[in-house]
Amino acid sequence: MKADRLLSILLLLQTRGRVPAGELAERLEVSTRTVYRDIESLSASGVPVYAERGRHGGIALLPGFRTDVTGLTTDEARALFILAARGAHTALGLDEALGSALRKVMAALPAPHRPAAELAGRRILVDPDKWLSGPRPAVDLGELHTAVFTDRRLRIRYRHSGETRLRTYTVDPYGLVAKAGTWYLVADRRGRPQLFRADRVTSAALTDAPVRRRAGAELAGVWQQLRRQVEERPAQVRVVARIRRDRVDLAVRILGPALTGPPRTGDGGDSGNGGATDGTGTGAEAGTGSDWAVIELAYPVIGAVRQLLQFGDSLEVLDPPEARRVMAEGAAALTAVYADDRPGHPEPTSG
């Protein structure tokens, strides 16, 4: 609607000062010609707005002009008070600022909108943490946060997954991303984008050098690129397993990223792998009756199949044979650990 667009232009000019017409057109998803027509409409209605031509020109309001109108609709006001990631504000030390900002917004809202906004905050709650995620390590975002907002290079000590040795990197930060309750630093290292889990950064120090980002690269675009790299990482090992039907929902929650499709249930349904076996008579064609469902998974390496040991005898790997061997070796190792009733006491050896 034109009225909404005019109000959006007015609020953008109040917030940003001089804004190029092309940027306004891009933000509002209209043509530059439409923007100039809207500027004429604002001027005709008494808003002191003007346009400057040239390389450093743009559209601006006369200095000192302000309007108290918020322009918020009922739905917009409600949306502001449904804050999904309150944990994010806590980690950044912005809880008090958030509360203060919401009080100011509430005071500025038109009276008819206030009850809806207040009710939304009490009736809608979004918890960003996964089920059964366990306690998370404390994360100090102080230096990372400072580097991001002061555009400074950062020197970090970092521990990669599965490693005990710390590595030292000098990086160029784009920003911080909170995904499912986990914070990540998105940065370039040697001119290439990389993700760093904040809880694996053991120390961080600002350098005196300004950040060096790639031309045209912004946080949102770099994050999407890195996210695709993680999600589209090729899986080298395909695994077929059967699982008891009363454990299917749990398996979907825990194994979700590894599953290549929904579990298949039915009376004696084929698993779809041609009934391959490991030579022992146990294969995809065996024992997939009404009490069982068949699942197919993809893992980057064969050793990752040990993830399935947590389901005990409620799950059996059917194929490939190498995966069955890995499971058998893992189960045997666990059996050896618990074979001795004395915790922490290995079998004595004779001298």
Side-chain angles (χ1 to χ4, degrees):
M1 293 176 59
K2 182 175 180 178
D4 290 339
R5 198 169 64 243
L6 294 177
L7 185 56
S8 295
I9 292 175
L10 180 58
L11 294 175
L12 281 169
L13 296 179
Q14 284 192 169
T15 304
R16 296 275 308 280
R18 183 180 288 105
V19 182
E23 181 177 338
L24 285 174
E26 184 177 351
R27 282 175 170 266
L28 300 172
E29 298 181 347
V30 296
S31 67
T32 304
R33 180 178 297 179
T34 298
V35 168
Y36 281 118
R37 284 202 298 264
D38 289 343
I39 297 305
E40 292 176 0
S41 298
L42 285 172
S43 180
S45 64
V47 176
V49 60
Y50 66 96
E52 287 186 354
R53 306 285 181 178
R55 180 179 178 184
H56 300 291
I59 296 168
L61 297 168
L62 286 179
F65 176 80
R66 300 291 297 176
T67 176
D68 292 331
V69 63
T70 66
L72 292 174
T73 66
T74 301
D75 284 344
E76 290 168 344
R78 187 181 291 124
L80 283 176
F81 284 81
I82 302 174
L83 297 174
R86 289 180 181 266
H89 298 92
T90 302
L92 295 171
L94 296 175
D95 269 349
E96 290 188 11
L98 172 64
S100 175
L102 289 179
R103 287 191 293 272
K104 291 176 181 178
V105 171
M106 181 67 79
L109 285 176
H113 296 344
R114 292 175 191 169
E118 184 180 2
L119 186 62
R122 299 203 321 263
R123 293 290 185 265
I124 305 295
L125 175 65
V126 179
D127 186 341
D129 293 333
K130 296 179 180 178
W131 289 110
L132 307 175
S133 59
R136 296 184 180 275
V139 178
D140 183 4
L141 296 177
E143 288 295 279
L144 306 184
H145 179 268
T146 302
V148 165
F149 282 95
T150 59
D151 290 333
R152 303 265 292 281
R153 301 193 94 193
L154 192 64
R155 185 172 292 110
I156 62 173
R157 295 275 284 166
Y158 189 74
R159 181 186 62 80
H160 289 277
S161 176
E163 295 185 5
T164 56
R165 182 167 68 95
L166 296 177
R167 300 176 184 266
T168 301
Y169 299 126
T170 298
V171 299
D172 297 291
Y174 286 94
L176 294 166
V177 174
K179 180 173 175 59
T182 300
W183 282 95
Y184 294 89
L185 172 68
V186 177
D188 275 355
R189 184 172 76 87
R190 297 179 178 176
R192 303 189 63 173
Q194 191 166 336
L195 275 181
F196 299 92
R197 273 185 62 140
D199 56 8
R200 295 191 193 136
V201 176
T202 60
S203 66
L206 295 174
T207 71
D208 294 330
V211 71
R212 291 183 245 169
R213 302 187 182 107
R214 285 167 287 123
E218 294 288 346
L219 174 62
V222 178
W223 167 253
Q224 288 302 322
Q225 177 186 352
L226 291 168
R227 179 175 175 173
R228 284 195 300 271
Q229 290 176 4
V230 173
E231 294 177 345
E232 297 173 4
R233 186 176 299 163
Q236 304 297 324
V237 181
R238 299 282 174 169
V239 175
V240 180
R242 66 171 189 165
I243 186 168
R244 295 191 184 277
R245 293 185 65 167
D246 59 0
R247 292 291 183 269
V248 166
D249 289 342
L250 179 64
V252 170
R253 289 201 302 271
I254 295 176
L255 305 175
L259 291 172
T260 61
R264 297 196 303 276
T265 58
D267 298 328
D270 181 20
S271 72
N273 75 335
T277 73
D278 64 351
T280 63
T282 52
E285 81 280 15
T288 53
S290 60
D291 293 337
W292 296 84
V294 172
I295 57 175
E296 296 188 14
L297 309 102
Y299 288 109
V301 293
I302 192 68
V305 76
R306 291 189 181 91
Q307 177 192 30
L308 305 177
L309 286 169
Q310 65 187 296
F311 292 95
D313 62 359
S314 293
L315 181 146
E316 180 188 5
V317 170
L318 304 175
D319 198 60
E322 313 90 85
R324 288 180 61 85
R325 282 194 289 272
V326 169
M327 292 290 286
E329 291 167 1
L334 283 174
T335 300
V337 168
Y338 293 105
D340 190 343
D341 290 336
R342 297 171 298 167
H345 295 280
E347 286 288 340
T349 57
S350 57

